[in-house]
Amino acid sequence: MKYPIGIQNFEKIRKDGYVYVDKTALIYDLARNGSYYFLSRPRRFGKSLLLSTMAAYFSGRKDLFKGLAMEGLEKDWTVYPVLHLDLNTGRYDSEESLYHVLDDFLSKLEAVYGAFHSEVTLELRFKGLIERIAKKEGQRVVILVDEYDKPMLQAIDDDGLQEKFRNSLKAFYSVLKTQDEFIRFAFLTGVTKFGKVSVFSDLNNLVDISMDARYQTICGITGGELHRYFDEGIRHVVETNGLNDEDACRELEKRYDGYHFRQNGMGVYNPFSLLNTFATGEFGSYWFETGTPTFLVRLMQRDNFYLPELTDQQVSGDFLNSIDSVDRSPIPVMYQSGYLTIKDYDSRFKFYTLGFPNEEVEKGFTDFLLPYYTHINKGEGPMFIGNFVRALEQGRPEDFMRQMQTMFYDTDYKIVGDAELYFQNAFYLITKMLGFYTEVERTMANGRLDMVVKTKEYIYIFEFKYDKSADAALQQIDEKGYARPFAGDSRRIYKIGVNFSRTDRCIDGWKIEQ
């Protein structure tokens, strides 16, 4: 079986014999029932392939749809002129960079369909082209825009540049409304939605299907599709890893499933990670490793974000769907970028609960954040955590604490603002990483215990203090009876009191008792 990893061209997939998960019935439904659509999905989720499939359909390429649902649905196969703008191509680090990409797109069309001297702006050139193309070809045009928001995302921490991109694209996209009589169909995709009051404010005819129940699976792979198309890939995973079918499918689900794009919606697998796993037979962090969410880290550090709240976010639909809310929180862009997903929905009060979609994202994001909050270089996180886990599994809490102290050595230059919040975030990341290999319980509010780590032979109870003492921390464990729930457990129990110095910005002491 051939897996279309990194291949986004529908014609190439069909002609070269790659597996194709049939979404064409949904495309037919969109074309039949409307004209203007917007879809937000995370990167590498199949948006570009979706647009390529639409381009083939509207170009009348019936030969490419043999054996697919579209073959039995479409009877006319009308050929429309297709304008396909891909904003993936470009590094948007100046106002001119966006102009050059749009100018290149328009210039190539103008070489075929002509131009007028009065069309002096990008939007006027686009407007004139749509009309001329429709009249010359005798059919209304189809407009497909891939990653409409790429320029603004790349300028997310540059307010001035982002505003210039926003204004340019707002004017450019507004043509889709003014030239309605010459447009058969328009479809825009992106990672984020930049608010109804900004880029799309003039496009009140644009239907957002990002959370529409009918199209929730238009990108990604469902559980049913997993078995319908990829039994051979599952067998490869089974043979490579020495698993049975049930365990292999459970592991695939744990690592790559869990995306929900609406309340009470169907779970969707990350297609990029699945295809790579089937091709290699090996489980890996394929999706996470292809993109570096540095801008998300900058947003969280800018807002002094309390990381434990990442997996306990409750937000409204309007807040979730507008990237303009990033002025108040990094959560909308984290959801729309695929690092958080919908976990629950309160129908009474109309709010969503968010969390990590799966283990690949949770583990990858935690590992990525570690260098920003500890003295760990990029890529060294698994090695440090491995040493931590071995120390705890072997009953060496003193070694664990010495390694912990090393992690926080020389981190004061990274701390901006509240040192206590900084250390809370760092310990959150460490406990998350430990939790992938051990059993970890952790709460940090209302006087409850800070962290419990359980291994096969040991239980470790941690209490952290700030500008007090390790003795005070240990005393709280005893006074609050934190060890009491484990009195009947046969494992050896260690109580560990730890103190952080906000002045020295490091762990300045700990005390261990059995």
Side-chain angles (χ1 to χ4, degrees), residues 43-104:
R43 59 183 175 80
R44 292 192 174 275
F45 239 82
K47 300 189 298 296
S48 296
L49 176 58
L50 176 66
L51 290 191
S52 179
T53 309
M54 288 179 173
Y57 166 59
F58 283 109
S59 297
R61 295 295 307 276
K62 183 178 180 180
D63 57 306
L64 298 179
F65 291 85
K66 187 175 181 179
L68 301 180
M70 185 70 80
E71 183 183 35
L73 294 169
E74 182 58 67
K75 306 302 179 186
D76 298 330
W77 292 100
T78 303
V79 177
Y80 297 95
V82 177
L83 310 186
H84 191 172
L85 171 60
D86 185 0
L87 289 181
N88 267 310
T89 57
R91 179 177 176 82
Y92 302 98
D93 52 6
S94 68
E95 187 174 6
E96 293 75 23
S97 58
L98 174 59
Y99 176 86
H100 292 321
V101 171
L102 296 179
D103 178 59
D104 178 67

Side-chain angles (χ1 to χ4, degrees), residues 129-198:
L129 275 167
I130 291 173
E131 181 176 351
R132 285 194 295 278
I133 293 171
K135 289 180 177 178
K136 182 174 181 179
E137 300 296 339
Q139 289 289 352
R140 290 173 295 165
V141 303
V142 169
I143 300 172
L144 307 174
V145 181
D146 199 2
E147 304 292 2
Y148 90 97
D149 55 350
K150 189 71 173 284
M152 289 177 291
L153 267 181
Q154 288 193 0
I156 200 165
D157 56 352
D158 185 334
D159 292 340
L161 184 57
Q162 189 180 89
E163 184 65 20
K164 291 175 180 177
F165 287 157
R166 191 192 313 260
N167 291 336
S168 296
L169 290 173
K170 177 182 178 182
F172 192 80
Y173 295 139
S174 68
V175 174
L176 299 181
K177 184 175 181 180
T178 62
Q179 293 297 82
D180 178 55
E181 63 179 303
F182 302 111
I183 297 173
R184 162 64 180 87
F185 185 86
F187 199 96
L188 287 77
T189 74
V191 170
T192 57
K193 184 177 180 183
F194 278 79
K196 295 180 180 178
V197 298
S198 55

Side-chain angles (χ1 to χ4, degrees), residues 419-459:
E420 182 172 339
L421 175 65
Y422 178 90
F423 285 120
Q424 287 175 338
N425 282 340
F427 256 87
Y428 165 78
L429 296 172
I430 292 165
T431 56
K432 289 293 287 184
M433 291 298 289
L434 289 173
F436 294 116
Y437 308 99
T438 62
E439 183 181 352
V440 174
E441 299 172 5
R442 181 182 184 277
T443 55
M444 293 189 69
N446 302 325
R448 293 175 289 176
L449 57 90
D450 284 344
M451 183 172 75
V452 174
V453 181
K454 301 175 184 178
T455 68
K456 185 177 180 180
E457 298 180 6
Y458 304 95
I459 296 176

Side-chain angles (χ1 to χ4, degrees), residues 117-128:
H117 293 299
S118 59
E119 296 169 352
V120 295
T121 64
L122 293 170
E123 53 269 25
L124 284 175
R125 293 166 63 189
F126 191 30
K127 177 176 179 290

Side-chain angles (χ1 to χ4, degrees), residues 441 443-452 454 459-465 472-487 493-496:
E441 299 172 5
T443 55
M444 293 189 69
N446 302 325
R448 293 175 289 176
L449 57 90
D450 284 344
M451 183 172 75
V452 174
K454 301 175 184 178
I459 296 176
Y460 301 90
I461 301 171
F462 292 85
E463 180 66 28
F464 308 118
K465 293 295 182 184
L474 206 56
Q475 183 178 349
Q476 180 168 327
I477 294 176
D478 291 332
E479 289 180 350
K480 297 286 187 178
Y482 292 156
R484 212 170 291 139
F486 311 107
I493 298 174
Y494 285 100
K495 297 177 290 185
I496 305 173

Side-chain angles (χ1 to χ4, degrees), residues 355-462:
F356 291 116
N358 51 50
E359 187 177 282
E360 178 189 12
V361 176
E362 182 176 14
K363 190 174 184 298
F365 197 65
T366 303
D367 187 40
F368 182 80
L369 286 176
L370 271 173
Y372 293 89
Y373 292 92
T374 63
H375 186 61
I376 290 181
N377 295 324
K378 185 178 179 180
E380 292 181 352
M383 178 190 70
F384 271 83
I385 296 300
N387 290 333
F388 290 159
V389 171
R390 280 190 289 270
L392 295 177
E393 287 177 339
Q394 295 168 12
R396 297 184 284 111
E398 193 71 37
D399 289 346
F400 175 88
M401 286 309 306
R402 278 196 292 268
Q403 292 168 24
M404 187 72 73
Q405 188 178 47
T406 300
M407 283 187 71
F408 287 106
Y409 173 74
D410 198 27
T411 58
D412 65 307
Y413 72 95
K414 297 183 178 181
I415 301 175
V416 179
D418 189 346
E420 182 172 339
L421 175 65
Y422 178 90
F423 285 120
Q424 287 175 338
N425 282 340
F427 256 87
Y428 165 78
L429 296 172
I430 292 165
T431 56
K432 289 293 287 184
M433 291 298 289
L434 289 173
F436 294 116
Y437 308 99
T438 62
E439 183 181 352
V440 174
E441 299 172 5
R442 181 182 184 277
T443 55
M444 293 189 69
N446 302 325
R448 293 175 289 176
L449 57 90
D450 284 344
M451 183 172 75
V452 174
V453 181
K454 301 175 184 178
T455 68
K456 185 177 180 180
E457 298 180 6
Y458 304 95
I459 296 176
Y460 301 90
I461 301 171
F462 292 85

Side-chain angles (χ1 to χ4, degrees), residues 221-275:
I221 296 172
T222 67
E225 290 167 339
L226 178 71
H227 293 284
R228 189 179 313 139
Y229 294 98
F230 299 107
D231 279 346
E232 183 178 322
I234 294 173
R235 285 197 300 273
H236 188 201
V237 172
V238 167
E239 294 166 1
T240 302
N241 295 275
L243 302 171
N244 59 39
D245 285 359
E246 185 177 345
D247 288 341
C249 290
R250 188 181 299 115
E251 191 69 18
L252 290 169
E253 181 179 0
K254 181 179 73 172
R255 288 175 179 262
Y256 307 127
D257 192 15
Y259 290 91
H260 297 87
F261 298 111
R262 62 168 283 107
Q263 61 271 28
N264 307 314
M266 185 180 297
V268 177
Y269 286 79
N270 184 312
F272 185 76
S273 291
L274 270 186
L275 293 178

